[in-house]
Structures are given as structure tokens and as C-alpha cells.
Amino acid sequence: MERLGEARARTLELIKPLDDGQLNRVYSPILSPLAWDLGHIANFEELWLVQTIGGREPLHGELGRLYDAIENPRKTRGELPILRDAELRAYLADVRERTLEVLEEVDLSSGAEDPLLREGFVYEMLLAHELQHNETMLQLLQLVAGYENEGLTLGPSAVEAPGSEMIKINGGEHEIGAPARGFAYDNERARHAVELKSFEIDRTPVTNGAYIQFMEETGAEPPQYWERDGGGWALTTMAGRDPVIPAHPVLHVSWHQADAFAHWADKRLPDEQEWEAAHGDLQGVGQAWEWTSSDFLPYPGFEPFPYREYSEVFFGDTYKVLRGGSWATHRSVMRPSFRNWDLPERRQIFAGIRCARDAG
Ligand SMILES: [Fe+2]
């Protein structure tokens, strides 16, 4: 229960400097207003824990429909009659109170019969959901003028000893995916062996400095939130205007930009199996999500759980997989088998680059 409390404290810390107007404001058609994220966090918790597990009635009748992520595309969320202001804060608190009551009553042990309860699945899912939405909220916060938060570290740290050094990973059989026990999403299972050819992968993520060189030589577009500043570049997140720091990992690049960078460097993006096989030797994982060349596809033996809309409806060649995590990702939701996915043109996410190439 303690970790749920910590996650909620972090959610509330993120919005502490904001007023209700800022929570309700639509900053971008591809990002939800913060009020929607907050209501959705509470509603997801109510739906899975209070209603499904606890068997209780929802607090606000049909309200849940407004927080269904598939039914309500991001660009429509600002106009929905969602909960706002004091009512929204009360809903978050009321749902949490009921959640804690239900959790008192249930068996979350490894022997639990219901797969939703076994090994505390539903608890871990709620926790991960809230922490993952914290990252989505941080994407939006990049657009909030003058946002400051002394309680949080905002932004990446410098890549230690950046350079073009690559690590060789020997070919052969590698185990991919989450083990059968412990919390993971359905798309990370089943764990299975893949046959990889020998390859090399960058030891460190691509830095802003390297990306600037690529732009200068090819005329490529800058990452999102960069603007010309005299002879250099400025970062305009949170409506600041700070010089781009060359030693920081490059962030806010699309898959197309990442792919073009890799080609310019005479390399390629790793596929997600290569990334997972190499992750133990990589440095700087957890600063920027790393685009891979892989489409988001099911693993052999995939079974949707606990609902089709978590992963299954996204499988296909529309989305590209990202691995690792960013500075905005809570450490407890980062794991080597975790698969993030997004559209190849998207740049509001904290995505960067690490390149690979076939071993000669
Ligand atoms: Fe969600």
C-alpha cells in the first residue's frame, strides 16, 4: 500500500505548481489536458480495483466512458464533460479511500486463484499505470510556460564519456521477454529464445552534440523544442530558453529522425531483440527512450491480459517499439523486457537514439 501512496504523492507533486486553469487547458492536440490524465488515473483505479475486484458501484455512474483512452482520442479530451477542479481532486481521494478498503479484504498472494490478484497483479498494474501517466504528464509539462518544481529533478543528465565506441554482442540464442513469474505486461510474454547474428551497439546514447553535427552536415530537422539561437541552438521546453547542452542525450526526435541519424553514421537502429540482448552492457539507459527498428508485434504464445486494449489492438506495422526508459520514467517501471510503442512521427515523447550495426 505504501508504494501506491508514494505514486500518488508524485502525481500531486507534479501538479502542485499549477492552477485549475492550467490543469484544464489544452496545450496540444496530441496531449491530454492534465485534468483528463488525473481523472483517468482515478477512474482506471476505480474500474479495476473498486468495481472489478471490490464488486462496488462506481461513484459517478457512467463517467468512466469519458476516461476510456480508446473511445476518446487525445484531441477531443479538452471538450469532454470530465471532472474538474475541486470535484476532480475529491474523486481522486474518494477512489483511493475505497481502493485501500478493498485491498484490505483481498488475497494478493502468489497462491491467489484469480489471475488478476495472483502475485498482486492488479496492485502492480495500478501502480505502474499511475507512474506511467506521470511521464505522460511530464510530456505535457514541457509546454507549460514557466513550470518549475523544486521537488523534482526535471531533465536528463549528461552522457558519461560519450563517443562512438561500440560493444560487440556475440550471435547465438538469446532469451527475450519477461519471465513467467512477477509483474509484466501481456506484450512482454511469452519469454522465448531468438537467434541473433553478431552485432555491435553504441555503448552510450547519441548526444545533442552528435545530433548537431548530423544536422549541420545534412540539413536535417532539429528535434522538437529546439530553436535557432544565434549560431547555436536553444531548448524551449517549459517556455524557457536555455542553450542546448552538447553532452546531454538527444531527446524529442522522431523514429524517422533516429533512423536518418543512424544511416548518416553508417549504422542502423537496433531491433528490439538486439537491444534486449545487449541491455546489460549499455550505458546511459534511462535517460532517453531508445527507438528500435522493430514494429510492435506479439511474441509467440501471446495472450491478451487483462484486456485487449492494453496491447493487442496496437499490434501491427503502425507503431515502432522503444526500449529502456527516459529521465521522466519512474525507475520502478523500467525493466529490460519493457516495450514502449509510439507512432514513428511522434516527438513529444522523451525519445532518443542508440545505433547498432552488423558485426563485420
Ligand atoms: Fe492509461
Side-chain angles (χ1 to χ4, degrees):
M1 315 300 147
E2 209 177 295
R3 287 187 295 150
L4 274 186
E6 284 168 19
R8 179 55 48 86
R10 191 161 180 266
T11 303
L12 297 177
E13 182 70 36
L14 278 173
I15 59 164
K16 205 161 123 190
L18 305 175
D19 58 35
D20 287 331
Q22 289 169 309
L23 294 182
N24 291 324
R25 189 171 151 192
V26 177
Y27 286 87
S28 154
I30 57 167
L31 286 163
S32 319
L34 289 163
W36 188 91
D37 274 284
L38 294 167
H40 168 82
I41 288 170
N43 186 255
F44 186 88
E45 178 170 327
E46 184 179 39
L47 178 67
W48 286 97
L49 220 110
V50 180
Q51 297 174 240
T52 308
I53 302 293
R56 303 192 187 188
E57 290 298 313
L59 286 165
H60 291 278
E62 294 288 294
L63 178 80
R65 299 197 54 170
L66 305 178
Y67 295 112
D68 184 309
I70 306 253
E71 263 190 62
N72 303 288
R74 287 176 176 181
K75 63 175 184 296
T76 68
R77 291 176 188 170
E79 289 125 48
L80 296 171
I82 54 172
L83 296 179
R84 295 172 195 274
D85 316 333
E87 227 184 349
L88 171 60
R89 290 166 199 274
Y91 181 56
L92 278 156
D94 291 346
V95 170
R96 179 52 55 91
E97 199 180 308
R98 301 175 118 215
T99 292
L100 295 177
E101 285 168 18
V102 173
L103 282 172
E104 288 289 312
E105 300 158 10
V106 295
D107 168 21
L108 294 170
S109 71
S110 54
E113 230 171 89
D114 184 342
L116 270 179
L117 296 176
R118 201 177 301 145
E119 292 189 301
F121 181 87
V122 77
Y123 175 85
E124 297 295 338
M125 179 174 80
L126 278 190
L127 187 63
H129 184 257
E130 182 152 355
L131 292 173
Q132 286 168 253
H133 271 278
N134 284 178
E135 179 160 350
T136 319
M137 291 165 70
L138 277 161
Q139 291 168 14
L140 187 283
L141 289 171
Q142 303 306 302
L143 300 168
V144 177
Y147 182 81
E148 272 179 44
N149 196 324
E150 283 173 11
L152 298 161
T153 312
L154 300 169
S157 43
V159 174
E160 262 183 66
S164 53
E165 191 194 326
M166 299 186 87
I167 302 161
K168 186 178 176 191
I169 306 292
N170 289 324
E173 204 172 88
H174 291 267
E175 287 284 322
I176 300 298
R181 298 287 301 271
F183 179 78
Y185 288 111
D186 55 2
N187 64 61
E188 297 166 65
R189 296 191 164 118
R191 189 167 169 84
H192 60 287
V194 293
E195 193 65 33
L196 297 178
K197 289 189 181 139
S198 296
F199 66 98
E200 294 179 316
I201 189 162
D202 290 348
R203 189 174 53 79
T204 51
V206 170
T207 60
N208 287 331
Y211 199 85
I212 288 170
Q213 202 191 338
F214 160 62
M215 284 166 33
E216 283 170 356
E217 284 188 24
T218 64
E221 288 284 301
Q224 189 161 9
Y225 305 127
W226 284 27
E227 275 177 20
R228 273 267 175 220
D229 194 37
W233 292 93
L235 188 64
T236 60
T237 48
M238 296 171 180
R241 215 178 156 77
D242 305 309
V244 164
I245 298 172
H248 279 183
V250 70
L251 282 165
H252 300 296
V253 291
S254 70
W255 181 88
H256 300 293
Q257 288 176 306
D259 187 54
F261 178 94
H263 281 99
W264 169 77
D266 271 331
K267 298 178 184 174
R268 58 174 172 80
L269 295 179
D271 66 35
E272 62 169 325
Q273 286 80 11
E274 288 174 330
W275 190 94
E276 193 168 327
H279 83 271
D281 298 316
L282 305 180
Q283 286 182 13
V285 171
Q287 293 295 318
W289 285 99
E290 300 177 23
W291 285 111
T292 72
S293 62
S294 301
D295 293 334
F296 186 49
L297 296 171
Y299 288 165
F302 169 82
E303 281 180 50
F305 180 77
Y307 55 108
R308 285 189 66 244
E309 289 74 17
Y310 184 76
S311 326
E312 196 180 22
V313 296
F314 299 100
F315 288 146
D317 58 9
T318 309
Y319 295 92
K320 292 289 183 191
V321 173
L322 301 105
R323 290 302 199 102
S326 79
W327 64 265
T329 315
H330 195 272
R331 271 31 196 165
S332 72
V333 291
M334 271 179 56
R335 56 183 170 272
S337 60
F338 189 93
R339 306 169 78 198
N340 191 2
W341 66 91
D342 218 318
L343 297 169
E345 65 271 24
R346 282 296 160 84
R347 302 193 301 170
Q348 89 283 9
I349 55 174
F350 302 104
I353 315 167
R354 185 189 304 267
C355 304
R357 69 178 169 215
D358 299 349

